């Protein structure tokens, strides 16, 4: 994942690790994943990476990609 993308939860997602509420954000930046502005622990990296991959391949159900302003002051 060498890119810079941001996703927002549009539907609540419940998994065994916890619940992701509507409005939460995931940011992917150069092989790092941030959840609501904070870097996730390495133990959760696969969960988030798989979620993003599944959503982009199967069509967005829980996440929506939101544009990131470029060069905004």
């Amino acid at each position: 994942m060498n890119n810079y993308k941001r996703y927002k939860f549009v539907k609540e997602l419940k998994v065994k690790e916890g619940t992701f509420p509507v409005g939460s954000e995931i940011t992917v930046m150069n092989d790092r994943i941030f959840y609501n502005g904070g870097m996730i622990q390495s133990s959760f990296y696969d969960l988030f990476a798989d979620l993003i991959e599944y959503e982009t391949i199967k069509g967005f159900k829980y996440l929506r990609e939101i544009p990131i302003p470029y060069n905004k002051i």
Side-chain angles (χ1 to χ4, degrees), residues 13-53:
L13 176 63
K14 293 183 181 182
V15 293
K16 66 179 179 179
E17 289 84 359
T19 302
F20 300 105
V22 174
S24 298
E25 288 187 352
I26 298 174
T27 304
V28 179
M29 185 182 346
N30 295 333
D31 291 332
R32 291 183 204 101
I33 300 176
F34 298 86
Y35 178 71
N36 288 335
M39 189 182 297
I40 63 168
Q41 296 177 3
S42 58
S43 58
F44 292 109
Y45 184 86
D46 290 335
L47 172 71
F48 282 91
D50 291 344
L51 173 64
I52 293 167
E53 181 180 2

Side-chain angles (χ1 to χ4, degrees), residues 1-14:
M1 281 192 214
N2 286 332
N3 51 17
Y4 185 39
K5 296 189 181 239
R6 185 169 290 152
Y7 302 92
K8 186 173 273 198
F9 280 90
V10 293
K11 185 176 178 184
E12 184 177 80
L13 176 63
K14 293 183 181 182

